[in-house]
Amino acid sequence: MSDQLANTQQRNIFAIPFHPQWSDMDQNGHMRTNAYLAAAENSRMQYFTGSGFSAAEFARRGLGPVIQTDQLHYRAELRLLDPAELTLELAGLAPDGARFVLRNTFTRADGRVAATVTSTGGWLDLTRRRLTTPPEDLFQLLRALARTEDFADLTSPLAER
């Protein structure tokens, strides 16, 4: 096991195995941009679902995550069926939880980081169609995520209105 992967386990970072599929590949045999973004989205929902917030639970509560920006940084290639690990960490959070930054890191089996996806988002009230604060149990799930080394305190989008 690489030092980076061992460090992941010690910090209690949410991590899942990842293998790029045929449909994830571009014409050069590299993983496509959209595939990275889709895998990042999927890992976030796996984290929330595994913690009691399935898509049905979000719908029941009239609430959903909304991503406002994604930043993708490529570092090394991932090719078809390369074994990798996909992690999820908290990179920023507003005091009321209404805004968050989540970072996904794709790490190859050799320990090299293939890419990072940093996503800024918030919680959408599905009835009012406005950003809102999360319920306390969801807010606790965000705070339970391991924090990135560059974690930042954010301002609330609700305070900006």
Side-chain angles (χ1 to χ4, degrees), residues 48-49 51-65 123-130 132-141:
F48 289 120
T49 297
S51 302
F53 272 87
S54 64
E57 181 62 15
F58 277 116
R60 186 184 75 73
R61 294 190 187 205
L63 180 74
W123 301 104
L124 184 66
D125 179 317
L126 298 175
T127 302
R128 295 180 29 234
R129 307 307 289 179
R130 295 180 140 284
T132 189
T133 57
E136 185 57 32
D137 51 350
L138 182 55
F139 194 21
Q140 287 178 15
L141 287 179

Side-chain angles (χ1 to χ4, degrees), residues 61-156:
R61 294 190 187 205
L63 180 74
V66 60
I67 298 299
Q68 297 156 320
T69 61
D70 284 308
Q71 181 182 16
L72 178 53
H73 182 79
Y74 300 103
R75 302 173 119 185
E77 295 176 344
L78 266 182
R79 295 189 179 268
L80 181 64
L81 297 177
D82 280 349
E85 180 180 65
L86 177 52
T87 60
L88 176 65
E89 295 176 273
L90 185 64
L93 188 63
D96 62 2
R99 178 177 285 148
F100 55 80
V101 178
L102 298 173
R103 178 159 312 131
N104 289 100
T105 303
F106 294 78
T107 305
R108 300 178 343 169
D110 66 5
R112 283 188 69 195
V113 172
T116 58
V117 176
T118 303
S119 304
T120 302
W123 301 104
L124 184 66
D125 179 317
L126 298 175
T127 302
R128 295 180 29 234
R129 307 307 289 179
R130 295 180 140 284
L131 289 179
T132 189
T133 57
E136 185 57 32
D137 51 350
L138 182 55
F139 194 21
Q140 287 178 15
L141 287 179
L142 281 176
R143 291 189 302 243
L145 279 168
R147 293 183 175 200
T148 60
E149 292 179 10
D150 63 344
F151 176 88
D153 291 315
L154 307 175
T155 59
S156 172

